[in-house]
Amino acid sequence: VQLVESGGGLVHPGGSLRLSCAASVGSFYCMAWFRQSPGKGREGIAGINSDGSTRYTDSVKGRFTISRDANTLYLQMDNLKPEDTAMYYCAAPVLFLGTCLSWSDFGVWGQGTQVTVS
């Protein structure tokens, strides 16, 4: 499995960014976006299952949207806040799962892309 993120950068508060993740796993498996801020652990923020169902952590609900096509995972981020500053990672499950019920199901990571809101 290869995951390659892109689309990070510097944006002002209230701005938008769209992250992309080129994924070699197709759309048969659950996928997710995680982020990690300095001094904090990696947290799951948005997940999508093979049936298209999605889930979000509370801090990004209504602002972030996860989506996918056959080979790419996306994260549309709107109304960005300084607290969204983090390294963002695309993630695939350790086992080949179509539905992921827990953030702990994920264990395959891309290299990350930095998002800075300032």
Side-chain angles (χ1 to χ4, degrees):
V1 176
Q2 287 189 321
L3 305 172
V4 181
E5 302 96 334
S6 61
L10 173 64
V11 64
H12 293 310
S16 298
L17 280 176
R18 189 192 197 202
L19 305 184
S20 299
C21 172
S24 63
V25 295
S27 59
F28 299 107
Y29 309 111
C30 50
M31 296 286 292
W33 287 96
F34 282 67
R35 69 185 180 187
Q36 186 168 17
S37 304
K40 295 185 178 181
R42 194 171 296 188
E43 64 167 338
I45 59 170
I48 186 167
N49 292 318
S50 60
D51 64 357
S53 59
T54 59
R55 62 188 174 116
Y56 300 90
T57 194
D58 287 345
S59 61
V60 308
K61 281 181 182 176
R63 301 188 298 121
F64 290 11
T65 303
I66 188 172
S67 62
R68 70 195 304 177
D69 60 25
N71 297 302
T72 306
L73 182 71
Y74 302 99
L75 185 67
Q76 177 66 41
M77 304 186 294
D78 299 316
N79 190 22
L80 282 160
K81 304 176 180 180
E83 52 264 42
D84 295 317
T85 295
M87 185 71 78
Y88 283 71
Y89 297 90
C90 175
V94 175
L95 300 176
F96 290 129
L97 301 173
T99 299
C100 288
L101 302 178
S102 170
W103 299 121
S104 62
D105 290 334
F106 297 93
V108 181
W109 311 99
Q111 85 288 351
T113 185
Q114 177 68 37
V115 172
T116 302
V117 185
S118 178

